[in-house]
Structure formats: structure tokens, C-alpha cells
Amino acid sequence: RIIELCHQFPHGITDQVIQNDMPHMEAQQRAMAINRLLSMGQLDLLRSNAGLLYRIKESQNASKMKGSDNQEKLVYQIIEDAGNKGSIWSRDIRYKSNLPLTEINKILKNLESKKLIKAVKSVAASKKKVYMLYNLQPDRSVTGGAWYSDQDFESEFVEVLNQQCFKFLQSKAEAARESKQNPMIQRNSSFASSHEVWKYICELGISKVELSMEDIETILNTLIYDGK
């Protein structure tokens, strides 16, 4: 509610304004809430003739956007709304902003030079650059995740992982058979969870990139499709 009040009065609010808006809140509770917002960097504390003023803190990007014209702000907003899926490229921006392409290209270059946005190549379309905010990590749907390097599919890497996962499951099955226990216990001990397979692959150290459980499950699914 304090944040909402600060948005309503962008020049700042006094403690009295907060008190009037929330008369049932105790002074100690109010002070705790304000201190928390100050420590989280969401509020600025200023002195004025009326006493202490609390004002919403501008984000780093907002302060960088100061002095930008409305067209630049509009393009930035469109890219910000797209998130890290990188679903936004110059044609989408043109469609959403109604600006000519030459103007959009100029704005994109300007925003890139200010390190507010970045262009990322998409595996879905090699000649297509998508845009996202500078500090975002692109989604795996854009980069292709662990299986792609510079937009090239790493088929040898996938094959090595395929073989190693199979080898691990095979050794589990052999160990279970050699245990000479009853068939039900043998069958159960031959199973391995995807976490166990992931741990084994990580300990082998054959991957230069950090593999997730999801990556290993993708490989295990290829073994199922191969009938292995």
C-alpha cells in the first residue's frame, strides 16, 4: 500500500500521508514497513520543508531511459514485455509500435549501445535476431539449450551422452542379475532414477556445459524411442 501511495504521489509522501491512509496501523508497524522498503532499495528518503519525504526509487533502467524520447521508451517497453523468450524481433516491434523499420533499427542500435537491450541469435531461425533486456538470460527455446553451440546442433555430444546413460543403466541391470536374489528384488534394483543418472553423468565430467535433470531426461527419452 505504501508503494501504491508513492506511485500516486511521485514527488513523495510524508509519514502523515501514510498515517491518514492507514489509520489503524500502529506507528511501530508503519516504521517497520518503511524501513524494509528503504533497505530493499524501493524507496528514497528525502528532506523537505514538510519534513521527511518518502519517494519511489527509480530503477536503474528507468534512470538510463531518462532523456530518451517517447519512441525509444515505447520500443524499450515492447522488448521488456517480451521477457526472455526472445519472441520479439524487429518485425514484431514494427507491428506493435507502428514505427517505420528504419526508425526502429536506429532505436535498437541506440538501446544496444546504452546496454539496455541485447540481440540474441535464435536456433529457430538462423538469420533472425531477437531482442531482450540486457540483463536477461535467454530461454532455452531461443538458444537450444545444452544441445546447441553457436546455433549448431551438437550431435556427437548427444551421442556420447546417449551411450553413457545407456552404459550406466546396463551396469545397474547386470549388478542386479548377479545379485542372485528373487526376480522381484532383481527387477527393482535394476531401476535408476533420472537423478542418479544425472549425478553419474556430472561426475564423469564429459560435459563442458552444466546439464540439468531436464537435459538428462531428454537423453533418457531418446533411449526409450530407440527401444534400448
Side-chain angles (χ1 to χ4, degrees):
R1 183 66 192 132
I2 292 170
I3 291 289
E4 278 174 25
L5 280 172
C6 287
H7 279 299
Q8 282 172 34
F9 305 98
H11 295 298
I13 57 171
T14 61
D15 191 52
Q16 191 61 52
V17 172
I18 303 169
Q19 211 174 326
N20 293 347
D21 186 78
M22 293 176 265
H24 304 300
M25 187 184 266
E26 290 175 20
Q28 193 184 352
Q29 270 184 305
R30 202 167 60 247
M32 274 174 69
I34 290 166
N35 286 335
R36 183 152 179 258
L37 291 168
L38 287 167
S39 67
M40 285 164 70
Q42 292 196 26
L43 289 187
D44 271 331
L45 184 59
L46 309 161
R47 290 189 184 277
S48 75
N49 297 336
L52 291 176
L53 272 185
Y54 303 105
R55 193 172 68 189
I56 199 86
K57 197 168 199 162
E58 275 191 336
S59 71
Q60 207 178 0
N61 284 347
S63 59
K64 279 187 188 173
M65 288 303 289
K66 257 188 176 171
S68 300
D69 60 26
N70 288 337
Q71 290 182 337
E72 200 167 282
K73 283 175 183 167
L74 173 65
V75 170
Y76 178 83
Q77 189 62 55
I78 291 166
I79 294 168
E80 186 176 31
D81 292 344
N84 71 339
K85 299 279 183 193
S87 56
I88 206 83
W89 56 307
S90 48
R91 198 176 70 179
D92 298 330
I93 297 166
R94 185 173 63 175
Y95 174 73
K96 289 187 176 187
S97 67
N98 239 344
L99 293 169
L101 195 57
T102 48
E103 188 61 33
I104 286 166
N105 288 335
K106 200 168 85 179
I107 290 169
L108 290 172
K109 275 184 185 166
N110 201 14
L111 290 172
E112 277 188 272
S113 70
K114 289 180 183 177
K115 290 200 171 359
L116 284 168
I117 64 163
K118 62 183 171 188
V120 181
K121 284 181 181 175
S122 168
V123 293
S126 57
K127 290 178 184 170
K128 180 170 143 180
K129 277 198 294 189
V130 292
Y131 294 91
M132 64 186 67
L133 294 193
Y134 189 79
N135 59 343
L136 290 183
Q137 274 296 101
D139 188 78
R140 60 191 296 135
S141 62
V142 177
T143 62
W147 319 132
Y148 283 80
S149 174
D150 293 331
Q151 294 177 282
D152 294 325
F153 182 67
E154 295 276 5
S155 55
E156 283 179 25
F157 175 50
V158 170
E159 186 52 39
V160 168
L161 286 174
N162 198 301
Q163 287 167 5
Q164 290 301 329
C165 289
F166 182 67
K167 194 173 147 189
F168 176 71
L169 293 170
Q170 211 169 27
S171 67
K172 280 280 281 188
E174 281 167 14
R177 268 198 306 275
E178 285 164 13
S179 68
K180 302 279 194 292
Q181 287 174 308
N182 77 55
M184 204 62 195
I185 293 172
Q186 268 191 46
R187 185 174 178 273
N188 289 343
S189 61
S190 71
F191 284 121
S193 68
S194 49
H195 183 267
E196 283 177 81
V197 183
W198 170 79
K199 195 165 177 284
Y200 169 76
I201 295 294
C202 289
E203 286 168 358
L204 273 183
I206 54 173
S207 175
K208 288 179 285 189
V209 292
E210 201 175 314
L211 295 170
S212 66
M213 283 270 289
E214 194 185 343
D215 292 328
I216 292 301
E217 282 170 0
T218 305
I219 295 290
L220 292 170
N221 281 332
T222 67
L223 291 172
I224 295 169
Y225 304 143
D226 290 345
K228 291 183 181 177

